[in-house]
Amino acid sequence: MRKALYFKFFCALSIFFLTIFVLPLEAKDEICNGDECYPKEFVATEEFQEVREGQEIHPGLHVKIDMSTGKKYAKILDPNDNETNKSSEVIIIDEHGNPINQEKNASENLLITDKSQTNNKDSDLKFHQDSNESIFSHPFITSKHKENVRIPHSDHVQFESYLSQLENSSSIQVINSALDGLEELVHELDFGIKLARSQGIKIILALLDHDSAQIKKKAAIVIGTAMQNNPTAQNDVSHLNIVTRIFESLSIESDIKVSIRLLYALSSIVRGNKNAIQFIKDSNGLQSLVNLYQSSSNNEFRAKCALFISDFIDPNMIGQNTGLFEQGQYYDSIDPLMNVMEIWCRKFQETLFDNTGSSNKVDIDSREKILKGISMIKSQYSSSCETQDGFKNWIVKEEIEAIGEDYLEDYYKLIIQVKAQFGF
């Protein structure tokens, strides 16, 4: 009797152990949506199967993407379908199930290199292509980058899908969706570099001329996101004259929201970029921006201009090796920006107050950004930033308004700093 009790206890304990410790571990290998569960790891066969949401795809598979639904399908690569079995082939198909560009040239399909060929930490980020140049390839790879091998293979497949959609679709909905997807991916440095090294960057630049303001805005966001804090990507697009291209778009753009996003793209490619900074100085780019600032009455756009100017002359943003400053201070006597900085300092003051010191209608967020612009110019080009009539009266009123207000604490500190800079 006692043995039977021991046996029952042991069985119950075993079931408890399996329930608590073993089964949850097995569940981690599955993905469940509602009542439906499927393996986390995609298991390929010799027939195409749908790759479900969240499933991991191994390199070395034949992958195709249905452009009308966005669904991915994969199977084991058949040597009879391709000359090599060392690569995955990505084929984008239209709503009729036909491969896009098949009539143009079958060799334009992209071949993504197997991860096993690119895991060398010292290798460049690169991808295999056919001898004919495709929309994803670019002949100029100018700088080295250690590839992040932890990025899922499916993300690379999706990246190529988005670029193909931009190339082949005229649908505003499809283009907007592809740009949204690219924006999410290019936050990762590797994809920012991959975009810069592909013909995709040219496609996105061309979209800045699109009739749709929404598409132009999103294209500018993708450019800015890809270039931001990404010196390798900045260097790889240096031959495309993107700064000139953005200034041209700004000069003719009528939609203020698009202009604001173009400024974001410009800031991202210029920040820390010695060549871009020097180009803007040599081409009087800041004077061109002054003209745009004057012609706009939008406070948000003006505040973005102030941020751009602050970053442009801030030694901490420029970097120690640009040769544009020394010991944290520009030399007023030799710097070619002296005159344009005098204009900016005056325009910023005119935006904030009139000659009696009365505040103009500027929201607090824009007011703070523009005052920071004045402070930065004063710190770097002191002799080029003189007080305008009404400045002292205005800033005293601002101090009284901000003192003791918790939400204006940073603005109050800025006011005190500016008062000290100008000797008020």
Side-chain angles (χ1 to χ4, degrees), residues 135-246:
I135 192 60
F136 308 111
S137 64
H138 196 284
F140 304 105
I141 297 181
T142 58
S143 53
K144 290 184 177 296
H145 171 73
K146 292 184 178 179
E147 180 182 4
N148 180 2
V149 296
R150 296 183 178 181
I151 298 175
H153 181 67
S154 56
D155 284 0
H156 288 279
V157 173
Q158 195 65 61
F159 179 86
E160 310 303 347
S161 172
Y162 292 141
L163 290 186
S164 181
Q165 290 173 35
L166 293 181
E167 179 195 12
N168 295 289
S169 178
S170 59
S171 165
I172 290 179
Q173 183 178 358
V174 171
I175 294 173
N176 276 325
S177 177
L179 289 172
D180 285 338
L182 281 175
E183 181 198 350
E184 183 176 346
L185 287 176
V186 297
H187 278 94
E188 168 65 48
L189 291 180
D190 284 49
F191 284 117
I193 296 166
K194 194 170 184 177
L195 180 67
R197 292 176 175 178
S198 74
Q199 292 293 319
I201 187 65
K202 292 185 178 181
I203 295 177
I204 295 175
L205 283 170
L207 290 176
L208 297 179
D209 294 326
H210 201 278
D211 292 335
S212 167
Q214 185 74 358
I215 287 178
K216 289 189 287 187
K217 183 172 68 174
K218 290 186 177 183
I221 292 173
V222 171
I223 294 170
T225 305
M227 297 297 123
Q228 190 172 43
N229 301 320
N230 196 338
T232 302
Q234 291 174 355
N235 185 55
D236 287 339
V237 299
S238 58
H239 62 287
L240 296 178
N241 299 319
I242 293 182
V243 171
T244 299
R245 180 69 184 78
I246 293 176

Side-chain angles (χ1 to χ4, degrees), residues 349-361 389-391 393-394 397-398:
Q349 292 182 62
E350 291 173 356
T351 300
L352 296 175
F353 53 85
D354 62 22
N355 57 11
T356 67
S358 298
S359 290
N360 295 324
K361 292 182 179 180
D389 292 341
F391 191 7
N393 290 339
W394 175 80
K397 293 176 185 177
E398 291 296 294

Side-chain angles (χ1 to χ4, degrees), residues 341-352:
M341 285 301 129
E342 181 178 356
I343 297 172
W344 275 111
C345 184
R346 183 173 68 251
K347 292 300 176 184
F348 286 158
Q349 292 182 62
E350 291 173 356
T351 300
L352 296 175

Side-chain angles (χ1 to χ4, degrees), residues 395-419:
I395 204 163
V396 169
K397 293 176 185 177
E398 291 296 294
E399 181 183 5
I400 294 172
E401 180 181 330
I403 193 169
E405 298 287 348
D406 291 341
Y407 76 100
L408 294 177
E409 182 180 358
D410 290 340
Y411 184 50
Y412 176 74
K413 291 178 180 178
L414 176 62
I415 290 170
I416 299 304
Q417 175 180 306
V418 172
K419 286 182 66 178

